[in-house]
Structure formats: structure tokens, C-alpha cells
């Protein structure tokens, strides 16, 4: 993304102050820097408010930097532009099969898609949070912990696939083959740092055969325009407060 753009002729504006021109110019440079920082911070604030599962990826893809003296750019990497600009409804099959698909005996491409149900609530939609809360209760009724590491009789942590369950739950979409928590699998493993990790997963297969079945259909997404909203608010603050305060300071000097 080219980034947000706000133009102000700093040198020409500063020159009108004659002997104070250099000081005004530096103050304006700082003002533009503050504008970019405000826009970045406001965009992060909006992302925290509006986004759920994509929040961390969006913030990681956001950046602001000075590309030359007095020229700052707030940008979002291409991989997350779909959130800013929206996305049309349609089949997700081709997108899901773009990277590392496998080939079935009949020559069609397919891929196993993992779904994690043990991630932080802040990375879930409100609906998913509600479903996971139901899952917690169901596991508790079966004496299976949700987050707590399970151990062997000797106190050592259990490793590998611990549980494989079919838990009553709604279908994720009307044409889905299985409920959300059908085939739920719980794993424990040791990370490279030596810590134990617990994952609660389900796995689904996407295939070229699904293109005409109504499965794996994206419902569409309205453009969030988080950067545009943040930029508009920051420019207004710059024009109404920051710039007038700079000019007033040197007009009186």
C-alpha cells in the first residue's frame, strides 16, 4: 500500500516568518511527525476496538516511518489490505488451495485446514468466544481440563494426542458436513524452549470438488477503512490545533 498522504509545503510556509523561518520549519517537521504518530496510534486503537481474530495480524502489518526529511508514511502491508478495502462474497476454495495443496488419486487438489479453539479470547469473534465457553463446560463435565496441562501418574506431562471427541455443537455454515466441535482433538507437546503446549483443534478438508457445493463460501466483508478514519481525525487535529499553535507561537515572537 502506498500509504496515507497529507501534503504541506513546510519550506514555503516557514519562509513567511523570515528570521524565524528555520525554527518554524523544524517545529512544522515535528508537527508532521506527530501527525503520523497520531494516525498510527489511532489506527491501532480502532483495530483493538473493531477486530477480533485478525487483530494481531493487522497491527503487525501496520507501520509508519520517515522516508525523507519531513515526509512520513503510515502504511499497511498488502496481505491485510482486504480488511481495509473489504472483500466480495464468494468461494474461498481457490485461495485456500494456493499454497502447498496435496493431490488426490483422482487428480483433484485438496488440503487439510486446522482450526484452533484454545487461542486467546481476544483473537476470537464474540460468537466463537461463546461457543468455546460452552466447550469449556462440556470438557469440565468429562473431567478434561481446557488449559491445564495433563500429567501422567508419575507427575510427568502427557505428550501427544490425548483426546479425540465428537461434541454436540452447531454447524459453522448451513452446508457444512460436520458441527464445529466434531472431531475435536486435544494435543500436548513440548516447545523448543522446553515449555509444555496444549492445543485444542479440529481439522477440515477443502477440495476442488467443493467449488460448486456451496461449501467454503466467504460471506463478504464491508471495508473497515480504519486507516482512513484515523487519518481523517488526525488531520483535523493537526489543522485545528497543532498547526495553529505552532504558527501562533512564532507570530508573537
Amino acid at each position: 500500500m502506498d500509504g496515507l498522504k497529507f501534503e504541506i509545503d513546510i519550506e514555503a510556509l516557514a519562509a513567511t516568518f523570515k528570521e524565524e523561518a528555520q525554527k518554524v520549519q523544524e517545529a512544522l517537521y515535528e508537527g508532521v511527525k506527530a501527525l503520523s504518530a497520531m494516525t498510527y496510534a489511532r489506527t491501532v486503537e480502532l483495530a483493538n476496538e473493531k477486530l477480533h481474530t485478525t487483530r494481531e495480524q493487522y497491527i503487525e502489518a501496520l507501520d509508519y516511518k520517515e522516508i525523507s526529511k519531513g515526509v512520513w508514511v503510515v502504511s499497511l502491508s498488502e496481505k491485510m489490505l482486504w480488511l481495509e478495502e473489504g472483500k466480495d462474497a464468494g468461494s474461498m476454495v481457490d485461495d485456500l488451495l494456493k499454497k502447498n495443496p496435496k493431490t488426490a488419486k483422482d487428480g483433484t487438489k485438496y488440503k487439510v485446514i486446522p482450526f484452533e479453539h484454545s487461542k486467546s479470547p481476544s483473537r476470537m469473534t464474540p460468537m466463537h468466544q461463546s461457543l468455546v465457553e460452552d466447550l469449556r463446560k462440556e470438557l469440565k463435565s468429562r473431567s478434561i481440563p481446557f488449559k491445564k496441562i495433563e500429567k501422567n501418574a508419575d507427575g510427568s506431562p502427557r505428550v501427544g494426542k490425548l483426546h479425540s471427541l465428537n461434541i454436540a455443537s452447531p454447524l459453522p455454515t448451513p452446508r457444512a458436513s460436520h458441527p464445529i466441535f466434531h472431531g475435536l482433538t486435544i494435543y500436548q507437546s513440548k516447545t523448543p524452549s522446553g515449555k509444555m503446549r496444549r492445543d485444542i483443534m479440529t481439522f477440515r478438508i477443502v477440495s476442488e470438488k467443493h467449488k460448486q457445493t456451496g461449501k467454503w463460501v466467504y460471506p463478504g466483508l464491508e471495508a473497515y477503512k480504519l486507516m482512513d478514519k484515523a487519518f481523517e481525525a488526525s488531520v483535523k487535529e493537526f489543522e485545528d490545533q497543532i498547526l495553529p499553535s505552532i504558527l501562533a507561537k512564532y507570530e508573537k515572537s
Side-chain angles (χ1 to χ4, degrees), residues 33-44:
K33 179 180 178 180
L35 170 64
S36 68
M38 283 190 297
T39 301
Y40 174 84
R42 280 195 169 108
T43 306
V44 170

Side-chain angles (χ1 to χ4, degrees), residues 4 37-49 58-59 62 74 76 84 226-231:
L4 301 172
M38 283 190 297
T39 301
Y40 174 84
R42 280 195 169 108
T43 306
V44 170
E45 183 179 349
L46 287 171
N48 282 319
E49 178 185 336
Y58 182 94
I59 293 174
L62 190 66
V74 182
L76 185 70
E84 278 294 301
L226 302 183
M227 293 178 67
D228 287 350
K229 293 173 183 175
F231 185 56

